[in-house]
Structure formats: structure tokens, C-alpha cells
């Protein structure tokens, strides 16, 4: 849990301030039974009313001071825990953002959500408790033992039996509880994953009437979470009553032994009352210590899961001293191979994109088209070979700087909650309205945007649910164009657009893309026929490279695609 060290240094001073007030509060609580003993044994037994009022006033003063300390401690502890939780959550989010796709693929997406929310909350609650009851409980326990022993050493023999038994029960509880609560968090991951998958595919579920199947699948995950939670809570339910029973038996023993000694004239009644109060405080503190360990077990399980993310070493490295040089968008693939920790999906790919060229990439489903362009902005690093942009190996460049040169329209269109204007400006922060409008016109989105009642200020739901597939693609293209990149990647970005609109977009891009290197991935051969060069992929291998006319003569795979889509033989 090394990730906690920076927070220890930052919040140690207010933390210790809260603990100091907590210490004073505990001292006030520990003094009261002794004062009560003196009131009974001296004031009441001797009929000294003045002594009773004097010591009673002292008890009230101590109680008031304890209350002020408790209130101050609550304010400080709440401030520290909330700031700590906010900063930890923010830093964890930044860490997740900094990881490469290869790192993120090692974590389930639902698990990352749980770690960012529930796990951080568990650690935050524990830190808050440390400055409240979690530190006070051991102080009361130790202080009660000391005060009770000073008050009557013979009765303290009972404590010598009770405390070790309770300590053993707490240790057993912790050893049994940790793996159980760890499994609870994993079960919660599966519940979140099931819900997330349903919400992302809710339209498909309804279209195929698979609601009952999804309910059954969610119930399996939900019932597993219930089973794991019940098992963990049952652990608490067994040990807490055992601890309470042990301490209450100790109190019974104190009353019995004390009663015998009072009848023999060897002990005063006030001592028994005070000792019983100390035993009650010790009971309370031991129960709280038991809760502390249960909370610790939960927090430890969550902290381990958070630590796994912080400890994840980014597989993507670069020379920090090398910056991206200004260029014109020349791209070189040299013997590039790549795999997703399995069979290679790209094998020895070699080709060059010159500045200003539009290069079409075509091939059957699963041929590696999207994987190829995902390597260019360093979403993943190559396993073999080299990719160069303007003569620089991209593995030597910081991904953030490299991506400043690139704009991408992904295969799966992603829009964000907000206005259409904000979504297009997402491509380049600070883009003017005129620039946004121009980009939307080139993407053939301007007409349908201005046709809405609020125009560019039309608000989109999550994922752009109130737009059609083609409209979302055109907004996504506008978002890329407003960036004014050196390299534009269009990953099957017009698949939901009709042929006439696609032709208009391509015509606008021709005028826009002068001097711009454009990689165009497409399923339709008509989308790439007029490209300067066409790359043909088949099962991860480059099987064709040239113009449309050249490939019709030399590439069998391209000829097959042409015949299947155009519907006529190659001349």
C-alpha cells in the first residue's frame, strides 16, 4: 500500500491534531468513574453534601470539555477524510487515464469503476474512523485497564482473563474476514459489470426480447454478491456477540467478587460502581476495536485493489527528452507486427504514406484494419518493426504530443453529454463558432444541425442517443476536422451514412485535405476506389498495395472484394 505514503505526509498534521483532541476527550471520559467513586465513598457515605456538589460540578466541567474536544475532532476528521478521499479518487482517475490500452486490458472495466467509487469510499471511511472512534477505542481500553488496576488491583485479575480472550477472538475474526471481504468486492465487480453491459446494449436487448435472459444473468451475479456478503457479515455476527458475552461475564464476575468483599468490609461500594463503569468502557472499546478490525479488513481489501492500479507499470515508454518535431504528416510502416497477447493480428506490414496522400485501407472483417491504425497514435505499441511519423520512431515520442498531430474518427462513434457545439469543440478546445460551422459543413452535418430547434446548442443525451447513427458519425467527423490535424484517420466512419452524403463528405475532404495525410478504413470498396493509394489486408498480412487500377490487375483479394460488392467481373 505504498500509494498511501504521499497522503500520510500531506495530512499527518491535521490528522495528529484530530488525534490530540481525541486523546483529551478520552482522558475526560476516563476521569469520570473515579470522580463518581469519590462522590459515593466520601460525599454520600459521609453525608457531606458540599463535597457532592463540588465533585459533581467538576464532573460537569470535565464533560463539557470532553464535548468541546469531540466536536472539534469531528470537524477536523471530516475535513481531512473528505479531502483525502477526493484527492485519492482524483489521482486514481488520473492514473487510469495515463495507462495504455495494453495496461487497461488487464482490468475489467466494471472493476475499475468499483475501485474508483466503492473501494475509495471504504478507505475514506476507515481514515475518518481512525480520527474518531478507531483511535479512541484503544485509548479507552488501555486507559480503563490502567485506571481500574489503580483503583483495585485485586478486581483487575478479572481483566487479566477477559482481555486476552477478547484479543484472540479479534485476531481470529480478522484472519477469517479478510479473504471474505475481498471476495465480496470481486462479486460487486461482477454486479457492476452485468449492469454496465446491459445498459450499453439495452437497445439490442429490447430488439431481440432478451429481457428475461438479462434478468437471469443479473440475478446470478446479484445472488452471488448476496451469498458472499452474507458469508462475510455472518463472520461479524458470530464474533461480535462472543466478544460481548466474554466482557459481560467479566462484569458479572466483578459484581460477584466485589459484592463478597463489600460484605466482608474489605471494599467500598464506590469502587465496585467505578470498576463496573470502567468495565463498561472497556466493553465498549473492545466492541469498537472489533468493529475497527472489521472495517480494517474491508479497507485493506479495497486498498489492495486500489494499489494494484497504482502499481501498474505503464508498458508504453518513451524518451522524455525527445519532443515531436514539426512535419507534414509522412507515415512509414516498416515490418510492423502486433498481437493482443496471443496470435499475431498484424504480420510484417510495410508501406509508406506521403504527405497529402489519401490512403485507403480495405480488407475482410478481422483482417487487422483497425488494429493497424490504432498503432499510429500509440494506443498500443508494436511487437516488432517500426512506425515513423515525419522520420521519428513513435516509440520515442510522448503519446500526448504525438496525438496532437492526429485526429481520429473511430469505428464506434462516441459523443458526450452536452451540446452539439461542445461536442465538436471537443476536437479542439477554443475553436470558434465559425470554425465549428465550417467543420460541420464539410462533414455534411450543418443542415441537420440547423434543422433542429436549438441548432448547435441542441443538447445530446449520453452517447448522443437522440441522434441517428449517420448523424452521430457526421458530428464525429466534424469534431476531427475542427482539430486541423496533420494526419486524419477515418475508421469506417461513413458506414451509417448514405452513398450520396458520403460522396459529398469525400468531395469536401479533398479540398480540405490538401497537404493532409488521410488514412481511410472502409468496408465499401467505393469508399477507397479514388484514394491515392490502397492497402489491402488479409488475415493480418499486406496482400496488395497500389492504386485501384493496379490492384484490379495484381491483387486477387481486391478482385474478390470488387466482384462481391460491385457485382461484375474485373475487366
Amino acid at each position: 500500500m505504498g500509494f498511501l505514503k504521499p497522503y500520510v505526509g500531506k495530512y499527518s498534521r491535521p490528522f495528529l491534531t484530530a488525534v490530540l483532541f481525541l486523546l483529551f476527550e478520552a482522558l475526560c471520559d476516563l476521569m469520570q468513574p473515579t470522580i463518581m467513586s469519590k462522590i459515593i465513598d466520601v460525599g454520600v457515605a459521609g453525608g457531606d453534601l458540599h463535597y457532592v456538589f463540588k465533585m459533581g460540578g467538576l464532573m460537569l466541567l470535565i464533560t463539557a470539555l470532553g464535548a468541546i474536544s469531540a466536536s472539534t475532532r469531528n470537524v477536523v476528521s471530516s475535513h481531512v477524510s473528505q479531502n483525502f478521499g477526493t484527492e485519492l479518487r482524483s489521482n486514481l482517475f488520473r492514473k487510469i487515464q495515463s495507462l495504455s490500452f495494453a495496461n487497461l486490458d488487464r482490468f475489467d472495466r466494471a472493476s475499475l469503476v468499483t475501485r474508483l467509487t466503492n473501494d475509495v469510499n471504504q478507505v475514506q471511511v476507515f481514515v475518518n474512523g481512525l480520527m474518531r472512534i478507531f483511535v479512541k477505542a484503544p485509548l479507552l481500553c488501555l486507559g480503563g485497564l490502567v485506571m481500574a488496576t489503580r483503583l483495585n488491583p485485586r478486581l483487575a485479575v478479572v481483566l487479566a482473563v477477559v482481555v486476552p480472550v477478547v484479543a484472540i477472538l479479534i485476531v481470529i475474526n480478522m484472519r477469517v474476514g479478510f479473504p471474505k471481504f475481498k471476495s465480496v468486492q470481486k462479486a460487486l465487480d461482477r454486479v457492476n459489470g452485468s449492469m454496465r453491459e446491459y445498459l450499453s446494449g439495452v437497445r439490442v436487448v429490447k430488439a431481440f426480447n432478451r429481457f428475461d435472459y438479462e434478468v437471469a444473468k443479473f440475478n446470478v451475479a446479484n445472488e452471488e454478491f448476496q451469498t458472499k456478503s452474507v458469508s462475510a457479515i455472518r463472520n461479524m455476527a458470530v464474533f461480535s456477540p462472543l466478544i460481548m458475552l466474554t466482557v459481560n461475564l467479566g462484569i458479572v464476575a466483578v459484581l460477584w467478587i466485589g459484592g463478597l468483599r463489600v460484605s466482608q468490609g474489605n471494599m467500598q461500594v464506590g469502587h465496585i460502581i467505578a470498576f463496573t463503569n470502567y468495565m463498561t468502557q472497556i466493553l465498549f472499546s473492545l466492541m469498537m476495536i472489533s468493529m475497527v478490525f472489521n472495517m480494517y479488513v474491508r479497507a485493506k481489501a479495497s486498498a489492495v485493489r486500489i494499489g494494484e492500479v497504482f502499481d501498474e507499470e505503464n508498458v508504453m515508454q518513451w524518451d522524455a527528452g525527445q519532443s515531436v518535431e514539426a512535419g507534414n504528416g509522412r507515415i512509414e510502416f516498416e515490418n510492423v507486427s502486433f498481437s493482443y497477447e496471443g496470435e499475431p493480428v498484424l504480420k510484417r506490414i510495410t508501406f509508406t504514406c506521403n504527405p497529402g496522400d489519401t490512403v485507403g485501407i480495405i480488407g475482410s472483417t478481422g483482417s487487422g484494419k483497425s488494429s493497424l491504425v490504432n498503432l499510429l497514435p500509440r494506443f498500443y505499441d508494436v511487437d516488432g518493426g517500426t512506425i515513423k511519423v515525419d522520420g521519428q520512431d513513435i516509440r520515442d515520442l510522448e503519446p500526448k504530443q504525438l496525438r496532437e498531430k492526429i485526429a481520429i474518427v473511430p469505428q464506434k462513434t462516441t459523443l458526450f453529454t452536452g451540446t452539439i457545439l461542445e461536442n465538436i469543440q471537443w476536437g479542439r478546445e477554443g475553436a470558434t463558432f465559425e470554425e465549428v460551422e465550417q467543420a460541420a459543413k464539410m462533414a455534411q452535418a450543418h443542415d441537420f444541425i440547423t434543422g433542429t430547434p436549438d441548432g448547435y446548442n441542441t443538447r445530446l443525451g449520453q452517447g448522443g442517443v437522440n441522434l441517428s447513427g449517420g448523424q452521430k458519425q457526421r458530428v464525429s467527423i466534424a469534431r476531427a476536422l475542427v482539430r486541423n490535424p496533420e494526419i486524419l484517420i477515418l475508421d469506417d466512419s461513413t458506414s451509417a451514412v448514405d452513398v450520396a452524403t458520403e460522396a459529398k463528405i469525400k468531395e469536401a475532404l479533398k479540398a480540405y485535405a490538401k497537404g493532409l495525410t488521410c488514412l481511410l478504413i472502409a468496408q465499401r470498396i467505393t469508399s477507397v476506389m479514388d484514394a491515392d493509394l490502397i492497402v489491402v489486408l488479409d488475415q493480418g498480412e499486406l496482400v496488395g498495395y497500389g492504386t485501384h487500377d493496379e490492384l484490379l490487375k495484381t491483387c486477387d483479394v481486391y478482385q474478390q472484394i470488387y466482384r462481391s460488392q460491385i457485382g461484375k467481373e474485373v475487366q
Side-chain angles (χ1 to χ4, degrees), residues 196 200 370 409-415 473 476 479 491-493:
R196 181 174 175 270
S200 63
S370 294
V409 182
Q411 187 174 21
K412 184 179 179 182
T413 305
T414 301
L415 299 178
Q473 283 191 334
S476 186
R479 180 175 62 194
D491 187 357
D492 203 16
S493 57

Side-chain angles (χ1 to χ4, degrees), residues 303-379:
V304 167
R305 285 158 51 84
I306 294 170
E308 287 173 353
V309 180
F310 278 114
D311 293 340
E312 184 73 16
E313 291 286 342
N314 200 333
V315 298
M316 195 169 286
Q317 303 296 329
W318 60 87
D319 182 1
Q322 187 167 349
S323 59
V324 178
E325 297 177 2
N328 46 18
R330 179 182 174 85
I331 304 169
E332 300 168 77
F333 286 81
E334 299 176 358
N335 282 321
V336 170
S337 297
F338 174 70
S339 67
Y340 296 100
E341 297 185 358
E343 289 294 318
V345 294
L346 295 172
K347 306 165 189 174
R348 300 176 299 280
I349 305 293
T350 300
F351 67 92
T352 300
C353 305
N354 290 313
D357 281 354
T358 296
V359 178
I361 302 175
I362 196 167
S364 60
T365 302
S367 60
K369 303 185 298 296
S370 294
S371 297
L372 183 68
V373 295
N374 280 339
L375 297 175
L376 186 58
R378 290 198 75 188
F379 291 158

Side-chain angles (χ1 to χ4, degrees), residues 233-244:
I233 293 170
R234 188 181 292 127
N235 182 65
M236 296 172 60
V238 170
F239 282 97
S240 294
L242 281 176
I243 294 170
M244 186 175 290

Side-chain angles (χ1 to χ4, degrees), residues 548 552-553 556 558-571:
H548 171 70
L552 283 179
K553 297 174 183 177
D556 292 338
Y558 192 77
Q559 291 170 8
Q560 292 171 12
I561 296 172
Y562 182 83
R563 281 194 296 266
S564 64
Q565 293 188 13
I566 304 300
K568 60 182 179 180
E569 292 294 325
V570 178
Q571 299 298 319

Side-chain angles (χ1 to χ4, degrees), residues 215-231:
V215 169
K217 188 173 74 171
F218 179 80
N219 284 341
V220 169
N222 197 27
E223 287 169 8
E224 182 190 7
F225 177 60
Q226 178 194 18
T227 303
K228 301 284 187 183
S229 298
V230 168
S231 177

